[in-house]
Amino acid sequence: MKRTVNTILIFILSVGLFNATSNKIESKTGKVAIISFETEVIDYGTIEQHSDGSRLFAFTNEGDAPLLITNVKTSCGCTVPSYSKEPILPGKSGELKIKYDTKRLGVFTKTITVTSNAEGGNKILKIKGNIVASK
């Protein structure tokens, strides 16, 4: 019994010590990447069914460290992202291509979550629009 209490006490103290350390891990150089999008929402407007669903989110690395996009996740399978896996150097620009499946009719709003090493964590982008039947 005494052994169990001591084990639990040591565990609680260990967890407390780990939580007391700083959550912010800074690089040795202090340099960070900053991703800045020209726009965070693309409005397709009203488009016809089966029309081109490709759009571009342009961005710039405004930081002083290389920007690396590690993942782009969409809110559904009807939206397909495409992006460069290469680092974007400070001051340089890149593009995130989004292709929405326009065979579906009606109003839509979808989100795209961009995961990178940029300051501020994940960035959430949106696309929206209305698809009407072809004439």
Side-chain angles (χ1 to χ4, degrees), residues 9-57:
L9 184 59
I10 290 171
F11 176 74
I12 291 171
L13 288 173
S14 298
V15 170
L17 287 175
F18 283 117
N19 286 335
T21 61
S22 174
N23 287 336
K24 185 177 181 183
I25 299 174
E26 199 171 312
S27 69
K28 291 180 182 178
T29 62
K31 296 181 178 183
V32 295
I34 299 172
I35 191 167
S36 176
F37 285 90
E38 285 182 9
T39 182
E40 294 182 14
V41 178
I42 291 181
D43 188 353
Y44 282 62
T46 300
I47 59 173
E48 286 189 3
Q49 187 178 24
H50 303 294
S51 63
D52 183 22
S54 296
R55 300 293 187 274
L56 293 174
F57 282 100

Side-chain angles (χ1 to χ4, degrees), residues 27-99:
S27 69
K28 291 180 182 178
T29 62
K31 296 181 178 183
V32 295
I34 299 172
I35 191 167
S36 176
F37 285 90
E38 285 182 9
T39 182
E40 294 182 14
V41 178
I42 291 181
D43 188 353
Y44 282 62
T46 300
I47 59 173
E48 286 189 3
Q49 187 178 24
H50 303 294
S51 63
D52 183 22
S54 296
R55 300 293 187 274
L56 293 174
F57 282 100
F59 63 88
T60 303
N61 179 2
E62 294 182 351
D64 50 11
L67 170 68
L68 184 60
I69 296 176
T70 54
N71 192 25
V72 177
K73 185 177 179 185
T74 60
S75 58
C76 75
C78 57
T79 309
V80 180
S82 174
Y83 60 98
S84 173
K85 311 292 191 271
E86 298 298 317
I88 308 297
L89 298 176
K92 299 295 180 182
S93 297
E95 295 177 334
L96 170 61
K97 183 177 180 181
I98 300 296
K99 183 165 175 72

